Amino acid sequence: MENSTSFGYWISRQRKALDLTQHALADLVGYSVATIKKIEADERRPSRQMAERLADYLSIPDDQRAIFIECARGLRSVDHLPLTSEPAPAPSAAMPSNLPTPLTPLIGREDEIAAVRQVLSHLDTRLLTLTGPPGIGKTRLSIQVASELCTNFEDGIYFVPLAPLTSPDLVPRALTQILGIKETELINYIQAKPMLLVLDNFEHLLAAAPILVEVLQACPRLKILATSRSPLNVSGEHQYPVSPLSLPDPDRHLSVETLAEYPSIALFVSRAQAVNPHFALTEANAFAVAEICSKLDGLPLAIELAAALCKLLKPQELLARLHHRLSLLSGGPTDLPPRQRTLRAAIQWSYDLLVEWEQIVFSRLAVFLGGWTLEAAEAIAAQADHNPAGNRDVFNALSALVDKSLVQKNEQSERQTRFTMLETIREFALEKLEQSGEIEAIRKRHTDFFLKLAEASEPALRGPQQQEWLDQLDEEHTNLNAALQWNLDQGNSETALRFAGALWRYWWVHGYLHEGFNWLEKALNQAEPSSTSWRARALNGAGILARSQGNYASAKIYLEACLEIQKNLADQAGMASVLNSLGLLAYVQGDHLQAINLHEQALDYRRKMGDLRGIAISLNNIGLSAQEMGDFDKAEQLYRQSLDLSRQVGDTRGISAAILNLGSTMLDQGLAEQAEVLLREGLLSSKGLKDQDGVIQCLEGLAGTASLLQKPERAARLFGAALALRAIIESPVHPNYRLRYQRIEDSIKMQLPVETFDSEQAIGREMTLERAIDYALQGID
């Protein structure tokens, strides 16, 4: 080792010799990847404590440990330190190779490099195909992996670019030209040689894949690493789907330093600095850079093309122009093939490989937002005559689009198989749909499908399968919003009103109060006044969501208008529903006698109809006012009757509400242990339903029980978490509840110094919803 070798360079070589990625080493020593990168780049020295941890995991012998720590601290040259083993040398004349030498570093692919190397190193892996959508970085990854495996293939590693080929018949000739032999000599030349062929861009030559199998069978020491937007689908093939670069969670506020560690952002910064040396990630532009990378789906090609524009635009200006990604992201380096110089050209290359029916289905699928199911695809992308034949089958076309990396299967969905498109690809597909002249017809099919779903969910959200329906609506949230917006834009006011009226309960339960109210208000304002059941339903929903946001004047206007329509319709179920809503409005404003009167009227209707679920709701709501008036025995009796009926009909939300209210009654009586048991049970139920309001009330109640149990720090955290969730869903404390809310807060403050209360509450406010629930359920102090 030369004396000029730096400590960072030595660390990098030792890490690679031990087959560790930067991410793996960071996990082992307990520091960030950014810190490891800075050490390897000689931008910082490790502390003594970190040096000792590095020594633990970099196989430093005991007799070398003291020397290593001195080297780490800059007190001694690293030429005293031996490597465990030399990492793979670069290809040389003694090791035949034509691998291209990249001019830019590969960023953020350490884990993928290690995974692909591991798969390719297995004895039974003879053919490995890197698959993925256009612009994902398959070629660059294949070159990096091959360069790190050069000692495994003493007879050479050869890179074979296949994009220029126009026919599968030309593949053997391309191989022999790279190897410098005659076409008839291919198998005899390779036969027993340990060799790796990197076949780049195979997707348009799939008919030649069986030739590769023949060559592999005749040459037992040969391995092939292929890149393709489609699997080769031959015997013995192993596939490795290349994923987009990781992106930060848009809902989390992250520091500039943390954001800089994300590969997508690191790539953007690196390429931006290549065209603008003064570019830096700062507090002022970090959010815009993260948004740009997110809108570009973490696609390396798209990110590189966008970053190149930083010589002209600030990230904030670039972000504002990204609504037309395909037009904006062009002008890549002239030494690249034309298909890699613009984002549109990269996608067009894949589109041109589709047969006509696949192109049609591809364009029609662009109407979906947030993914889709097979059922939805078949309903919306099918032929107009609904009698597809042969290759005009949606299932087969969708399968082909997944194989060709233009559609992805969403592995996150637990309910049923879902599919999605990267937004960059969806924009291209939408252009094709607009050019086809059938976009209005396809959007109408999209509306019909999701209106049917929304209206089927409305009664289901009051039945025993409400959890499954809430989950399904969550999965289709963006599709429902897209359909609702399109109908408003088209002036289809009646359809928009039907959508909004069917969805209000979903918005309410899952805490989309502001969003849901806005949809309802727009739909009601656009539609002509009428005495229809769906207008009444929408008015009732608007009143409930307005009440939940503390807008009591608007709530009263909407609910009274709903009551008038229900009277005209003589709809007993509708009358009971709106009377119930008016009763809750009176309750939150503290008018308990009026609330009880309205709820008893609703109860009469429901008893006449034999509506057990409705009876349970009315009993529960009468109990609320009884509790506020101090009649705890009556309140408890009503809650238990409501609980029994809710269990009888399988109303999960009714069960949750009754348990929560029983816990609240126990808390009001100072029965902390009993209250805590009930409130935790209610929290579990609310969590399952994703009932934000129920979760908040349980957290606030558990804060009260923690205070009674002399656990003020825990109480302050729970109170802070509930406060943060209220802010997120824009649900203020209603006047009737304010006194109890203030009592809980005051009791916590009495037990803690101001500074401690503030700091513990601040910790609670920083909790995610899941973390807050876990904390409340597990009793962590």
Side-chain angles (χ1 to χ4, degrees):
M1 185 177 297
E2 297 177 2
N3 292 338
S4 61
T5 300
S6 70
F7 179 76
Y9 182 69
W10 187 94
I11 290 288
S12 175
R13 286 172 63 85
Q14 180 74 349
R15 171 179 61 76
K16 291 176 182 176
L18 295 170
D19 204 24
L20 291 172
T21 65
Q22 289 180 327
H23 281 270
L25 182 58
D27 288 342
L28 288 171
V29 298
Y31 287 82
S32 70
V33 178
T35 299
I36 299 298
K37 288 179 178 178
K38 287 179 179 179
I39 289 171
E40 293 190 355
D42 292 304
E43 293 176 2
R44 65 168 288 180
R45 290 266 178 191
S47 64
R48 183 178 184 86
Q49 180 183 12
M50 186 180 182
E52 289 174 346
R53 292 189 64 79
L54 284 169
D56 290 338
Y57 294 104
L58 288 177
S59 300
I60 307 301
D62 289 344
D63 60 349
Q64 297 286 323
R65 193 179 181 91
I67 297 173
F68 173 83
I69 292 172
E70 287 182 359
C71 293
R73 305 300 296 145
L75 303 175
R76 188 187 288 246
S77 170
V78 294
D79 61 319
H80 295 88
L81 290 173
L83 284 165
T84 296
S85 62
E86 288 294 321
S92 66
M95 186 180 301
S97 173
N98 71 333
L99 279 178
T101 302
L103 299 179
T104 56
L106 180 60
I107 293 175
R109 291 296 193 190
E110 291 88 353
D111 292 344
E112 288 89 344
I113 292 168
V116 175
R117 282 186 59 178
Q118 184 177 21
V119 175
L120 198 57
S121 297
H122 289 166
L123 290 175
D124 62 346
T125 304
R126 303 288 311 287
L127 169 61
L128 174 61
T129 307
L130 305 184
T131 61
I136 201 74
K138 301 180 291 294
T139 299
R140 186 66 179 82
L141 178 59
S142 70
I143 292 171
Q144 187 67 34
V145 169
S147 69
E148 295 190 12
L149 289 173
C150 53
T151 54
N152 295 21
F153 301 95
E154 58 194 58
D155 278 289
I157 295 177
Y158 294 94
F159 182 82
V160 185
L162 300 175
L165 273 58
T166 57
S167 169
D169 296 336
L170 298 175
V171 171
R173 185 185 306 173
L175 299 181
T176 54
Q177 284 178 343
I178 291 293
L179 295 172
I181 59 176
K182 294 179 180 179
E183 200 168 330
T184 55
E185 299 174 340
L186 180 60
I187 289 178
N188 286 336
Y189 177 78
I190 299 175
Q191 208 153 27
K193 289 183 173 72
M195 186 183 292
L196 175 66
L197 296 179
V198 181
L199 307 184
D200 188 44
N201 287 108
F202 209 96
E203 57 270 358
H204 61 304
L205 305 167
L206 296 178
I211 298 173
L212 302 185
V213 176
E214 292 177 16
V215 175
L216 286 167
Q217 288 173 337
C219 305
R221 301 185 71 184
L222 171 69
K223 293 199 177 197
I224 294 176
L225 176 61
T227 74
S228 177
R229 299 179 188 185
S230 305
L232 276 55
N233 289 324
V234 292
S235 301
E237 179 187 25
H238 293 253
Q239 298 174 28
Y240 185 89
V242 181
S243 301
L245 295 174
S246 63
L247 296 161
D249 183 346
D251 296 327
R252 292 182 61 197
H253 177 71
L254 302 173
S255 67
V256 173
E257 293 74 21
T258 302
L259 285 172
E261 294 182 19
Y262 281 86
S264 53
I265 294 177
L267 176 63
F268 184 96
V269 172
S270 172
R271 301 302 186 259
Q273 289 173 342
V275 297
N276 179 2
H278 303 293
F279 182 86
L281 193 68
T282 65
E283 289 284 353
N285 66 23
F287 174 78
V289 171
E291 277 287 291
I292 290 167
C293 293
S294 178
K295 285 182 178 295
L296 298 177
D297 303 306
L299 283 176
L301 174 62
I303 291 171
E304 291 185 357
L305 292 171
L309 295 174
C310 285
K311 63 184 174 184
L312 298 173
L313 302 171
K314 292 183 180 298
Q316 297 89 327
E317 297 170 316
L318 177 55
L319 177 62
R321 292 172 175 268
L322 269 189
H323 52 280
H324 294 303
R325 304 171 184 81
L326 300 181
S327 300
L328 184 66
L329 302 180
S330 58
T334 57
D335 60 304
L336 293 177
R339 62 188 170 79
Q340 292 181 347
R341 293 180 199 167
T342 73
L343 190 57
R344 179 180 276 107
I347 302 171
Q348 183 75 46
W349 170 269
S350 289
Y351 178 80
D352 290 341
L353 297 176
L354 303 176
V355 300
E356 181 188 11
W357 175 236
E358 291 167 357
Q359 290 179 344
I360 292 171
V361 171
F362 171 66
S363 66
R364 291 175 178 176
L365 293 174
V367 77
F368 291 107
L369 276 174
W372 63 88
T373 62
L374 176 60
E375 178 190 5
E378 289 178 328
I380 291 161
Q383 283 298 88
D385 58 10
H386 299 288
N387 187 27
N391 290 330
R392 303 183 83 74
D393 174 69
V394 174
F395 177 82
N396 288 335
L398 180 58
S399 178
L401 292 170
V402 171
D403 271 350
K404 294 170 184 177
S405 300
L406 288 171
V407 166
Q408 284 74 45
K409 179 183 171 184
N410 185 350
E411 301 294 348
Q412 306 302 315
S413 178
E414 295 181 1
R415 290 187 63 257
Q416 57 186 323
T417 302
R418 289 184 68 80
F419 303 90
T420 189
M421 272 186 199
L422 297 177
E423 279 303 302
T424 46
I425 293 175
R426 180 180 172 273
E427 183 178 323
F428 180 92
L430 199 57
E431 284 185 0
K432 296 297 181 185
L433 184 61
E434 289 169 346
Q435 292 166 11
S436 73
E438 61 176 15
I439 189 167
E440 297 300 317
I442 297 303
R443 287 201 182 279
K444 178 64 169 60
R445 289 190 197 177
H446 184 269
T447 285
D448 292 344
F449 183 86
F450 286 105
L451 179 59
K452 183 179 179 182
L453 174 69
E455 293 191 324
S457 76
E458 198 275 331
L461 291 181
R462 291 176 276 135
Q465 293 183 311
Q466 55 195 242
Q467 178 64 68
E468 290 84 351
W469 278 91
L470 286 168
D471 289 343
Q472 186 173 1
L473 292 175
D474 251 357
E475 287 187 334
E476 302 297 359
H477 190 144
T478 48
N479 276 314
L480 292 162
N481 284 358
L484 186 44
Q485 185 63 60
W486 184 75
N487 281 280
L488 287 169
D489 292 343
Q490 296 296 306
N492 301 331
S493 52
E494 182 178 302
T495 302
L497 198 61
R498 288 171 63 188
F499 256 117
L503 291 171
W504 75 260
R505 191 180 300 275
Y506 160 65
W507 291 324
W508 180 50
V509 173
H510 276 195
Y512 302 123
L513 305 180
H514 183 71
E515 174 189 321
F517 180 74
N518 281 347
W519 285 124
L520 284 157
E521 191 173 44
K522 287 177 184 177
L524 286 163
N525 289 341
Q526 189 179 96
E528 292 292 328
S530 62
S531 290
T532 58
S533 59
W534 52 77
R535 184 173 184 85
R537 189 184 301 136
L539 286 165
N540 187 40
I544 289 171
L545 294 184
R547 182 200 76 214
S548 298
Q549 295 175 92
N551 187 353
Y552 304 130
S554 292
K556 185 176 182 182
I557 291 170
Y558 284 123
L559 293 175
E560 287 181 345
C562 174
L563 182 61
E564 192 64 30
I565 292 174
Q566 299 292 20
K567 285 179 180 177
N568 291 338
L569 294 172
D571 181 348
Q572 292 193 30
M575 286 285 292
S577 180
V578 69
L579 286 168
N580 181 76
S581 299
L582 284 164
L584 286 172
L585 179 61
Y587 163 75
V588 298
Q589 293 178 287
D591 189 346
H592 299 300
L593 292 176
Q594 174 70 349
I596 290 172
N597 176 46
L598 289 163
H599 286 310
E600 286 181 340
Q601 290 182 53
L603 182 60
D604 285 343
Y605 279 114
R606 286 165 166 168
R607 280 181 168 151
K608 288 174 185 175
M609 293 183 293
D611 177 7
L612 295 183
R613 176 183 176 275
I615 293 168
I617 291 171
S618 293
L619 291 173
N620 179 80
N621 292 342
I622 294 169
L624 290 173
S625 287
Q627 179 182 345
E628 290 300 325
M629 296 168 73
D631 193 344
F632 299 124
D633 288 342
K634 181 178 180 181
E636 182 179 346
Q637 180 185 12
L638 289 166
Y639 292 149
R640 293 196 182 280
Q641 289 176 14
S642 175
L643 180 59
D644 289 342
L645 284 172
S646 295
R647 283 176 170 155
Q648 186 176 333
V649 298
D651 180 5
T652 308
R653 193 163 194 272
I655 294 168
S656 177
I659 291 171
L660 162 60
N661 292 332
L662 277 170
S664 175
T665 305
M666 299 302 166
L667 178 61
D668 280 357
Q669 297 174 81
L671 304 172
E673 289 86 356
Q674 292 167 263
E676 186 171 46
V677 170
L678 288 163
L679 289 168
R680 286 192 183 186
E681 185 180 351
L683 183 59
L684 269 173
S685 182
S686 296
K687 175 188 177 183
L689 286 167
K690 299 178 186 175
D691 177 358
Q692 302 273 43
D693 186 60
V695 167
I696 289 169
Q697 291 188 54
C698 287
L699 290 175
E700 288 166 348
L702 286 167
T705 62
S707 177
L708 285 178
L709 294 169
Q710 301 299 307
K711 296 179 179 179
E713 291 86 358
R714 172 176 166 77
R717 287 193 189 186
L718 291 169
F719 205 67
L723 192 63
L725 292 175
R726 281 193 179 278
I728 290 170
I729 68 169
E730 300 182 51
S731 176
V733 177
H734 58 71
N736 180 68
Y737 182 55
R738 198 165 288 140
L739 182 60
R740 180 185 292 111
Y741 185 90
Q742 194 64 50
R743 262 201 321 267
I744 294 173
E745 185 177 29
D746 289 344
S747 70
I748 301 169
K749 285 182 175 179
M750 287 177 62
Q751 299 176 54
L752 288 173
V754 174
E755 309 79 37
T756 306
F757 175 81
D758 289 343
S759 64
E760 292 294 333
Q761 191 175 57
I763 292 171
R765 284 189 177 189
E766 289 299 314
M767 289 183 184
T768 62
L769 173 63
E770 285 298 318
R771 173 69 181 134
I773 292 171
D774 289 345
Y775 179 79
L777 293 174
Q778 295 170 12
I780 303 169
D781 289 316

